[in-house]
Amino acid sequence: MKNIGLILLTTLALMLSCKAQEIVDLNTWNEGNNEGKYFKDLNNNFTPYLGVWEWQNGNQTFRVTLWKVEMEEYENGNRPSYYVDNIQGHYEMVQQGQPGGSIEETVYTSQKKIGNSITDWFPVIGVYAYDNNQCGGIVYDNSVEGYPNYPMGIRGGLKLNLIQGTPLQMEWKVTLPEGMYGNDQPTEFNIPTDIILTKVE
């Protein structure tokens, strides 16, 4: 019985050690061979971005929530996978409720069910922090309605630039990627595209 337990522990340890053979700084991603590497946020560049951010526009608030995902696996064709730390998130637009009603009413949210299914929408924000001042990646505007051929909405390039101070602020800039678009494909964002967010949590 002891031998079986020892064999199981050894097998588990080998499986875990094979998952990522080499831990390297995230900033070295795509410099050479990525196979089997774990691109980790070794310098804690992600930390200032994590949390809840808000932008106020009249009685409406655009709220962004960002969190860190460690060691996400990326398949690499027929070669061994590699692993990357990244920042993911969701957003919502809320407005102050009517007197006697709820405090906030949701105008739209990216965190919803996909179509009529019971499957939750994946995080629509995916970015990497290059340093403690800027990060970038993608955002999906799934708040755009009426485009059945494009259930994911509009894909945008996202840049986040920190503005040091108290409270901490961040520039949120969304752009439409270059390329060809179908005649029925949405190209107008519903979410804000050029705002200053303030960290609230």
Side-chain angles (χ1 to χ4, degrees), residues 178-192:
E178 293 180 10
M180 304 272 300
Y181 292 88
N183 291 338
D184 63 337
Q185 188 171 355
T187 55
E188 296 289 325
F189 291 103
N190 187 45
I191 61 174

Side-chain angles (χ1 to χ4, degrees), residues 36-87:
K37 291 181 181 176
Y38 172 22
F39 297 93
K40 186 172 177 60
D41 177 30
L42 294 175
N43 298 317
N44 295 315
N45 290 334
F46 290 8
T47 303
Y49 298 94
L50 308 180
V52 180
W53 301 80
E54 291 184 347
W55 171 69
Q56 195 78 30
N57 184 26
N59 72 334
Q60 293 190 332
T61 303
F62 183 68
R63 183 175 297 129
V64 176
T65 304
L66 301 174
W67 62 87
K68 182 177 182 176
V69 175
E70 295 182 320
M71 207 170 178
E72 184 173 17
E73 181 177 4
Y74 287 82
E75 293 183 3
N76 200 14
N78 294 333
R79 296 170 292 184
S81 297
Y82 59 91
Y83 305 84
V84 181
D85 287 350
N86 62 49
I87 298 172

Side-chain angles (χ1 to χ4, degrees), residues 5 25 30 34 38-39 42 51 69 85 98 106 110 118 120-122 126 128 142-143 145 156 172 181 199-200:
D25 191 278
N30 249 1
N34 293 339
Y38 172 22
F39 297 93
L42 294 175
V69 175
D85 287 350
Q98 299 299 321
T106 301
S110 65
I118 59 169
D120 288 328
W121 199 275
F122 59 88
Y128 301 93
N142 66 1
S143 70
E145 302 287 338
W172 161 282
Y181 292 88
K199 193 167 191 177
V200 295

